Amino acid sequence: MVQSTASFTSESLAALKQRYAEAGQGHVFKGFDELDDKTAGEFFGQLSGIEVERVTGFFKNATAAHGQEGGDKIEPLEAGSFASALDSAQADERAQWRAEGMRLIGANKVAVILLAGGQGSRLGSSEPKGCYDIGLPSQSSLFAIQAHRIRRLQQLSGNTATIPWLVMTSGPTSAATQATFAQADYFGLREEDVFFFNQGVLPCFDFDGHILLEQAGRVAVAPNGNGGVYEALRVSGALDWLRERGVEHVHSYCVDNCLVRVADPEFVGYAALRGAECGALVVPKKAWDEPVGVICLRNSRYGVVEYSEISSEMAQLTRDGSGELAYNAGNICNHYYTLDFLQHRVPELEAKFEHHVAKKKIKHVDVESGDLVIPTKPNGIKLERFVFDVFPHVERMAVLEVARNDQFSPLKNAPGSGVDCPETARRDLLAQCVRFAEAAGATIQGAESEPAFEISPLVSYGGEGLESLRGKTLVGDQLITDIASVQTV
């Protein structure tokens, strides 16, 4: 979407006005001559950086397709078409997947992409969501938890591995995120192993397809959705950076999942051994009417179908003889890619990706009157791409079902809301720590009352390294940062 900014001359201004007029967007220049020199120069630069013909085409295509998905043939994933970590019969296979994943990590072949463009506004915070403290005894932020998991994996590889961490931010979160990392000394990681890049933006439109101005001399823009990661990776040089480092496999996830197993060796190994170019983790739905998208088949190709697209009858369908929901592969935005796929296949596919229409309340300036419009109901459209838009174009897909209580606890809603909120995230992470210790043979004092029992990710990534706890009764309310100094009863 971004081009180099042209020099601001009368000739270049005239050429730019003509481009916008031919695209049906000439209205943005109303009042241009009344702007002061500084604002006019900045506005010219912003308008020059927008491929107006292309984004106007995005709007036309997206709105023409919006609501016409009803003709698609939607089917559940076939039984046996994906593996499940919930199946005890696959224990040996899981060990092989983990071993292969750790081998690739130890060979410096694995990197991680973090989608961290969101702010914590729903949580009552103006900071990037990754800075949020869910209330753990350690007071660790989401960023810190995830960084420490990377450090532990590097340690488990024999301290010979480096897992590059690519962090996608947005305009509102970029500076604050980078400052947070710097102030925390990159959470113990090396600065040179972290790569920040920005999510792209697109203009906002009214319902008739006219670009909106947020103020005189400034186009209203919005992030282009998490599917913008593919273009952002390419234009930022991130993919070339990974290639130079010899990376071949990439794990991608969203910042708001406190249980995410960053660079998950089992998932990476599973997808790599299957020869997949793309993969996805899924979790079983809590209930047939849980409002979550599911991975399924759309016109015989992999895709994600939002809960609003599935009728109640379809949502309640079960597999023959099992009672399991047919549409049960809950999408958790946790993906695997080969670098070859991201660098060589995706650029050819991007033109086929859809933009999705999001009707929003968009504050803007009326270019005719100059008045600020503060809507009380949706009055415009933001265009987004989703990270799963690539799925229908994948030739070799690997889907792996995992336990929700081990790998997925999203942070979406305000404190006290009771669902996908700080309290549930804290509860789920601490409960996982209790399970880790109990699986190692320990007893946790007051385990039934949900104690504040936390094991640092620097001590254990996924329950390993706790063998010395066997036969011990541990104080329930404690933070374990050193296995040698655990408090016992």
Side-chain angles (χ1 to χ4, degrees):
M1 249 17 58
V2 179
Q3 302 171 320
S4 58
T5 302
S7 300
F8 185 13
T9 64
S10 57
E11 292 81 7
S12 60
L13 177 59
L16 189 63
K17 285 183 176 180
Q18 182 176 349
R19 278 183 56 208
Y20 272 74
E22 291 174 351
Q25 304 291 355
H27 64 280
V28 300
F29 284 98
K30 288 185 178 180
F32 186 90
D33 294 338
E34 301 171 13
L35 300 174
D36 61 64
D37 289 347
K38 181 176 183 295
T39 302
E42 292 173 349
F43 191 30
F44 176 84
Q46 185 191 30
L47 292 173
S48 298
I50 295 173
E51 296 180 79
V52 64
E53 303 86 358
R54 190 179 179 207
V55 299
T56 301
F58 289 164
F59 176 88
K60 292 177 180 178
N61 293 337
T63 52
H66 184 58
Q68 297 183 5
E69 297 87 352
D72 291 344
K73 181 182 179 182
I74 297 174
E75 301 171 286
L77 296 179
E78 296 179 5
S81 67
F82 59 93
S84 176
L86 308 180
D87 185 354
S88 58
Q90 292 190 312
D92 290 343
E93 287 89 344
R94 291 183 63 190
Q96 293 173 9
W97 303 336
R98 282 194 296 272
E100 176 64 6
M102 288 305 299
R103 184 189 71 80
L104 292 170
I105 289 170
N108 295 316
K109 299 297 183 183
V110 178
V112 174
I113 298 171
L114 165 59
L115 307 181
Q119 290 177 287
S121 50
R122 285 191 190 178
L123 306 170
S125 170
S126 60
E127 293 185 309
K129 189 179 282 189
C131 296
Y132 197 83
D133 171 8
I134 60 174
L136 297 175
S138 64
Q139 299 182 316
S140 293
S141 67
L142 294 171
F143 283 143
I145 294 167
Q146 293 158 18
H148 292 168
R149 288 180 182 146
I150 292 174
R151 287 175 58 189
R152 174 62 177 169
L153 272 185
Q154 291 179 162
Q155 181 187 44
L156 288 172
S157 73
N159 286 318
T160 60
T162 297
I163 302 173
W165 200 13
L166 295 89
V167 182
M168 185 176 81
T169 58
S170 62
T173 66
S174 178
T177 298
Q178 294 189 53
T180 296
F181 272 66
Q183 291 164 7
D185 196 22
Y186 292 81
F187 306 101
L189 297 169
R190 297 188 307 175
E191 179 180 355
E192 59 265 32
D193 296 331
V194 181
F195 188 107
F196 295 100
F197 65 107
N198 249 7
Q199 181 177 4
V201 297
L202 286 171
C204 300
F205 297 85
D206 67 16
F207 290 141
D208 295 321
H210 299 121
I211 291 176
L212 296 173
L213 303 185
E214 68 175 32
Q215 62 187 44
R218 188 73 186 169
V219 172
V221 298
N224 60 0
N226 58 20
V229 65
Y230 301 114
E231 183 175 33
L233 283 167
R234 186 173 66 256
V235 301
S236 68
L239 297 178
D240 293 332
W241 183 71
L242 292 179
R243 181 70 64 186
E244 292 169 0
R245 298 175 69 112
V247 167
E248 296 176 359
H249 308 269
V250 180
H251 177 224
S252 173
Y253 68 97
C254 286
V255 70
D256 60 4
N257 179 10
C258 70
L259 295 183
V260 63
R261 297 199 176 184
V262 186
D264 185 352
E266 186 169 315
F267 179 33
V268 170
Y270 166 73
L273 287 173
R274 286 178 68 100
E277 57 187 6
C278 181
L281 286 188
V282 299
V283 298
K285 293 178 67 175
K286 292 179 180 178
W288 70 266
D289 57 350
E290 181 184 6
V292 63
V294 296
I295 295 181
C296 59
L297 299 179
R298 188 195 290 271
N299 299 328
S300 302
R301 307 290 295 182
Y302 283 100
V304 172
V305 177
E306 297 299 335
Y307 65 93
S308 58
E309 296 181 70
I310 302 179
S311 68
S312 297
E313 292 75 19
M314 289 177 66
Q316 294 180 71
L317 286 175
T318 59
R319 297 191 186 276
D320 292 341
S322 69
E324 177 189 345
L325 292 173
Y327 293 94
N328 200 38
N331 177 45
I332 62 173
C333 198
N334 191 316
H335 302 136
Y336 160 93
Y337 310 93
T338 64
L339 184 59
D340 282 344
F341 179 71
L342 291 174
Q343 194 164 35
H344 301 309
R345 285 260 290 129
V346 169
E348 300 172 358
L349 299 172
E350 277 186 288
K352 301 177 182 179
F353 293 173
E354 301 174 354
H355 280 87
H356 305 271
V357 170
K359 295 182 179 180
K360 300 287 186 178
K361 292 183 287 188
I362 302 173
K363 186 167 63 175
H364 69 283
V365 168
D366 185 316
V367 296
E368 298 294 340
S369 66
D371 295 336
L372 179 64
V373 178
I374 303 177
T376 57
K377 61 182 181 180
N379 66 322
I381 287 175
K382 296 180 180 180
L383 298 178
E384 300 174 315
R385 278 178 170 167
F386 299 148
V387 70
F388 54 73
D389 289 337
V390 73
F391 287 0
H393 310 286
V394 173
E395 297 300 329
R396 299 182 306 280
M397 185 79 175
V399 177
L400 178 62
E401 181 184 56
V402 296
R404 181 189 291 257
N405 66 349
D406 269 337
Q407 299 221 35
F408 186 55
S409 182
L411 180 61
K412 304 288 187 185
N413 302 317
S417 59
V419 178
D420 297 343
C421 61
E423 292 85 359
T424 57
R426 176 184 186 274
R427 177 202 67 200
D428 292 345
L429 194 150
L430 296 180
Q432 182 183 65
C433 292
V434 169
R435 290 196 303 274
F436 285 167
E438 290 179 339
T443 300
I444 311 302
Q445 185 183 47
E448 68 286 349
S449 59
E450 299 183 358
F453 181 82
E454 182 182 0
I455 301 173
S456 167
L458 294 171
V459 172
S460 183
Y461 174 89
E464 81 294 330
L466 305 178
E467 296 79 11
S468 63
L469 302 182
R470 178 172 298 278
K472 296 180 179 178
T473 299
L474 309 183
V475 172
D477 292 336
Q478 66 171 304
L479 166 63
I480 298 177
T481 58
D482 180 355
I483 200 68
S485 56
V486 173
Q487 300 174 47
T488 59
V489 177

